[in-house]
Amino acid sequence: MSRRFDVTQAEIRELVFDECARVVDTGNLLVIPTDTVYGIAADAFSASAVAALLAAKGRGRDMPPPVLVPRAETVFGLVDGVDETVLALTAKFWPGPLTIIANAQPSLDWDLGDTHGTVAVRMPDDESALALLSRTGPLAVSSANISGQPAARTADEAQEMLGDDVDIYVDGGVRESGMSSTIVDLSGDVPRILRRGPISAEDLRVIVPELIDLDG
């Protein structure tokens, strides 16, 4: 049976995050608040945990989850050939609602699905998410919903959709934005916006003038 903890209660926060880290370490799933929407989270380096995440959402391997990181510097361990564009985007928009797709470090021992050698990375601007990530390291995190349904803005909405497939629901209150992150793909020859979100194409083009918008 799933458990639920309210981390708006400061006196239990640290204990909750410690228990969440233990759950991740055993290959089980969490639902956590982020700065955009609620996310379903798994150990990024556990193939079985990532597979369970995709199954809970009703997704296949063709839709691999992004990876959330606790600090911008983590990108060096996950992305192959970090360049000035990646560094400029992370300096400007992280922590925040920008997901960057880039070529993954080939030495990484993980299986996020059919990534074709890429990884989608983001550092969320949320105190609870960052506190948890600092304990667990990178987590595979996708929006907490059944595929095709709206992303959950509350722990209640997430629990209604995902039920007992998730071990712990971390309740951090309503996510006011309710908008998933902007996704920029830097893995090919031409930078592309794959999904519009809180960060506009105009703001991104200040750093990446050649950016094209495929979500128009």
Side-chain angles (χ1 to χ4, degrees), residues 40-210:
I40 180 172
D43 180 357
F45 294 94
S46 168
S48 60
V50 173
L53 182 158
L54 294 174
K57 285 179 60 76
R59 278 189 172 180
R61 288 176 53 83
D62 60 325
M63 300 182 75
V67 175
L68 296 192
V69 297
R71 58 190 65 86
E73 297 78 28
T74 309
V75 75
F76 287 100
L78 303 182
V79 169
D80 185 28
V82 174
D83 60 15
E84 290 183 0
T85 300
V86 172
L87 292 177
L89 286 172
T90 58
K92 175 68 174 177
F93 298 112
W94 281 9
L98 177 66
T99 298
I100 297 172
I101 298 177
N103 293 311
Q105 286 281 6
S107 60
L108 288 171
D109 183 19
W110 63 7
D111 182 5
L112 296 171
D114 297 333
T115 64
H116 306 288
T118 65
V119 61
V121 190
R122 186 167 87 84
M123 179 185 176
D125 188 12
D126 181 86
E127 182 182 358
S128 293
L130 292 174
L132 177 60
L133 288 161
S134 70
R135 288 165 167 78
T136 63
L139 291 177
V141 181
S142 185
S143 56
N145 59 293
I146 299 296
S147 189
Q149 298 297 312
R153 295 177 62 242
T154 66
D156 283 337
E157 291 176 357
Q159 193 163 9
E160 185 175 333
M161 286 186 276
L162 298 170
D164 286 340
D165 286 337
V166 172
D167 191 331
I168 291 178
Y169 289 83
V170 178
D171 186 351
V174 178
R175 303 293 94 181
E176 297 296 344
S177 136
M179 182 183 293
S180 297
S181 64
T182 303
I183 300 178
V184 171
D185 184 359
L186 302 179
S187 65
D189 294 331
V190 179
R192 308 174 297 166
I193 295 175
L194 299 188
R195 183 176 71 196
R196 291 181 178 180
I199 299 173
S200 70
E202 290 74 21
D203 287 342
L204 291 164
R205 288 191 180 113
V206 172
I207 294 173
V208 192
E210 66 274 28

Side-chain angles (χ1 to χ4, degrees), residues 19-28 30 41-43 46 49 132 136 139:
E19 177 62 7
C20 286
R22 187 195 67 77
V23 164
V24 167
D25 194 47
T26 58
N28 290 308
L30 310 172
D43 180 357
S46 168
L132 177 60
T136 63
L139 291 177

